[in-house]
Amino acid sequence: MSLAKIPEINIEIPLPKAPKALSKDQQSSYIEKIKGLLIEHNAVLIAHYYTDPEIQALAEETGGFVGDSLEMAKFGASHSAETLIIAGVKFMGETAKILGPDKKVLMPTLEATCSLDLGCPIEPFNEFCNQHPDRTVVVYANTSAAVKARADWVVTSSIAVDVIEHLQGQGAKIIWGPDKHLGNYIQKKTGADMLLWQGACIVHDEFKFQGLEKAKVLYPDAAILVHPESPQKVVALADVVGSTSQLIKASKELPHKQMIVATDKGIFYKMQQAAPDKELIIAPTAGEGATCRSCAHCPWMKMNALEILSEVFEKDDNEIFVDSELSKQALKPLKRMVDFVK
């Protein structure tokens, strides 16, 4: 088992093994089985943009949904299905349960997690916050329910800058966690007084300035689309910096025929739908200083494989539960986020 190390945090994170590859016949067999199970159990499949294309396609074909973590949770809370199948990572299942407490929330596996979540344990983060009681605590959605419960605000990357500007206008000083790259990006955009937790996403942290420069030489007419969880030098090369949904929109609206994309390559499924005439090129993760721990695809998102998904109703260890008091506390900053984007 390989290990990824969160930058500047003494936490080693074991990476999961990739699921075994399936033949076309095996894929078709599992897809038909899952379709039948969703009907039988009055369930709906909700998938993140970063899951594999066949999972996203299956969600769409069965009346489910593909989106970011907040969009996923809002869709699930308002859907009539009794059971939500969350194809993503654990914090997404927790958010869906908090916003839809009456729903049964299942995941293909609860071992699918996130380096940002794991790199921000509640105990040290709580201690960090307690050292600065005069600051407003703002956390990224990629965090555990416990960390959300400690926060004043939860944000997604699509509204992070706007929320910080809103709080800045009220004279607030900020504690930001956990992604340092997104925090740096927000701080540079707003000039806000922010203390940053030093976490990073292992996917976005892999994109390299040198590799992206070389890619731009190879594709001089291409637009560069970058997620703000990427390192600052990579962000500086971008034509567009934005959340998953913002990058998908940009791929459609920009006049360029080629796009170099610095985010998880799972986004290509929806991006190609939005811009079928565009050539999509994944930003390099190889080269000088690179480790290719994820190779532009989250190893935990990849755990949402068809075979594992087909067994989602047979397990007894894959249902999301959130302590009622914790859920009540975490709902407050989540509701602020939901109300902010209305």
Side-chain angles (χ1 to χ4, degrees), residues 107-111 314-320:
M107 299 191 70
T109 172
L110 298 189
E111 293 180 10
E314 301 170 18
K315 302 177 180 180
D316 58 7
D317 62 350
N318 63 329
E319 183 172 356
I320 291 287

Side-chain angles (χ1 to χ4, degrees), residues 167-210:
L167 294 173
Q168 188 182 18
Q170 298 178 340
K173 296 186 292 184
I174 309 297
I175 283 177
W176 167 265
D179 190 282
K180 64 178 181 178
H181 296 311
L182 180 54
N184 281 325
Y185 173 76
I186 297 166
Q187 196 169 40
K188 189 173 181 181
K189 291 278 287 186
T190 65
D193 184 342
M194 297 171 65
L195 294 179
L196 309 183
W197 186 260
Q198 295 296 300
C201 166
I202 66 165
V203 176
H204 295 96
D205 197 47
E206 282 191 333
F207 295 117
K208 302 299 178 186
F209 173 79
Q210 296 93 337

Side-chain angles (χ1 to χ4, degrees), residues 57-321:
L58 180 58
E60 292 178 333
E61 290 170 15
T62 55
F65 183 76
V66 179
D68 67 22
S69 57
L70 175 60
E71 293 167 343
M72 290 166 67
K74 289 173 68 176
F75 177 87
S78 63
H79 198 277
S80 61
E82 297 173 357
T83 301
L84 311 180
I85 310 300
I86 304 296
V89 294
K90 189 176 180 182
F91 79 79
M92 296 174 184
E94 289 180 339
T95 302
K97 184 66 176 178
I98 293 166
L99 291 182
D102 297 331
K103 304 285 188 178
K104 184 174 186 177
V105 179
L106 301 178
M107 299 191 70
T109 172
L110 298 189
E111 293 180 10
T113 185
C114 169
S115 57
L116 285 170
D117 185 348
L118 293 178
C120 189
I122 181 56
E123 291 84 5
F125 185 71
N126 186 50
E127 183 180 347
F128 178 61
C129 295
N130 289 343
Q131 291 170 3
H132 307 280
D134 60 326
R135 289 180 176 265
T136 300
V137 180
V138 183
V139 301
Y140 196 24
N142 301 38
T143 46
S144 68
V147 169
K148 289 181 174 73
R150 180 61 180 83
D152 300 299
W153 281 79
V154 176
V155 299
T156 59
S157 55
S158 61
I159 64 166
V161 169
D162 292 336
V163 168
I164 296 301
E165 286 180 338
H166 167 73
L167 294 173
Q168 188 182 18
Q170 298 178 340
K173 296 186 292 184
I174 309 297
I175 283 177
W176 167 265
D179 190 282
K180 64 178 181 178
H181 296 311
L182 180 54
N184 281 325
Y185 173 76
I186 297 166
Q187 196 169 40
K188 189 173 181 181
K189 291 278 287 186
T190 65
D193 184 342
M194 297 171 65
L195 294 179
L196 309 183
W197 186 260
Q198 295 296 300
C201 166
I202 66 165
V203 176
H204 295 96
D205 197 47
E206 282 191 333
F207 295 117
K208 302 299 178 186
F209 173 79
Q210 296 93 337
L212 197 51
E213 270 196 323
K214 291 175 182 176
K216 185 63 176 174
V217 172
L218 289 173
Y219 305 99
D221 297 325
I224 298 178
L225 311 183
V226 175
H227 194 283
E229 288 177 36
S230 305
Q232 190 171 348
K233 285 187 175 182
V234 171
V235 170
L237 290 176
D239 295 290
V240 176
V241 181
S243 66
T244 46
S245 56
Q246 288 167 342
L247 295 184
I248 291 169
K249 182 180 179 184
S251 70
K252 180 179 181 179
E253 295 180 349
L254 288 173
H256 306 69
K257 292 300 182 182
Q258 294 177 316
M259 308 282 169
I260 301 172
V261 183
T263 191
D264 191 297
K265 60 188 176 186
I267 201 175
F268 280 17
Y269 174 78
K270 294 299 288 184
M271 196 172 273
Q272 204 74 78
Q273 284 184 347
D277 59 331
K278 307 290 178 72
E279 180 185 0
L280 306 179
I281 303 150
I282 195 66
T285 58
E288 184 179 346
T291 58
C292 203
R293 295 165 296 178
S294 73
C295 298
H297 190 30
C298 174
W300 293 287
M301 286 288 187
K302 200 167 182 63
M303 294 177 77
N304 294 277
L306 288 172
E307 182 177 5
I308 299 171
L309 183 58
S310 73
E311 300 167 352
V312 71
F313 295 104
E314 301 170 18
K315 302 177 180 180
D316 58 7
D317 62 350
N318 63 329
E319 183 172 356
I320 291 287
F321 296 99

